[in-house]
Amino acid sequence: MHRARGVMAPSAEVFPGGDWEHPLVAGEEADEVAIEYEAGGAWATIEGAGTIFVGVDEGEPRPFEITDPGVYQLAEHERHGAHQVTLRPEHGMRLWSVSFDPGLP
């Protein structure tokens, strides 16, 4: 008998500015945000243009160029697990939310 494998539910969405109506504005409220999560991947809703440095777990932060407001993939993991993402957006960029993908156990 074949049994289907499910996915594990991810951590809840995080609102770095305090709630869904208020973004974190880089340089005004904080220069860096670190978020611990359990998931198969991570995404951020970002507004503004410039560079955001993204560090995943113990890895070296990598630069991502943001040209338009949108949802950007930060990390993709082979399996559901505990991770940390660190975001360092350029001054004035707005970080609205960080959300997570379900992952395979």
Side-chain angles (χ1 to χ4, degrees), residues 18-104:
D19 60 48
W20 65 274
E21 294 180 306
H22 301 96
L24 179 136
V25 180
E28 292 180 12
E29 300 169 41
D31 292 326
E32 184 175 281
V33 176
I35 299 169
E36 293 184 6
Y37 65 95
E38 292 187 15
W43 298 76
T45 306
I46 304 168
E47 182 181 2
T51 303
I52 183 168
F53 286 85
V54 178
V56 179
D57 297 328
E58 299 297 321
E60 247 341 274
R62 297 175 300 148
F64 284 86
E65 291 303 315
I66 306 299
T67 57
D68 297 301
V71 179
Y72 293 87
Q73 186 174 31
L74 305 174
E76 184 176 26
H77 309 292
E78 193 171 312
R79 299 245 177 241
H80 177 94
H83 301 279
Q84 178 175 306
V85 64
T86 303
L87 307 171
R88 196 172 69 235
E90 200 170 293
H91 184 81
M93 295 177 77
R94 290 179 165 87
L95 179 58
W96 286 90
S97 68
V98 179
S99 55
F100 309 101
D101 287 334
L104 294 172

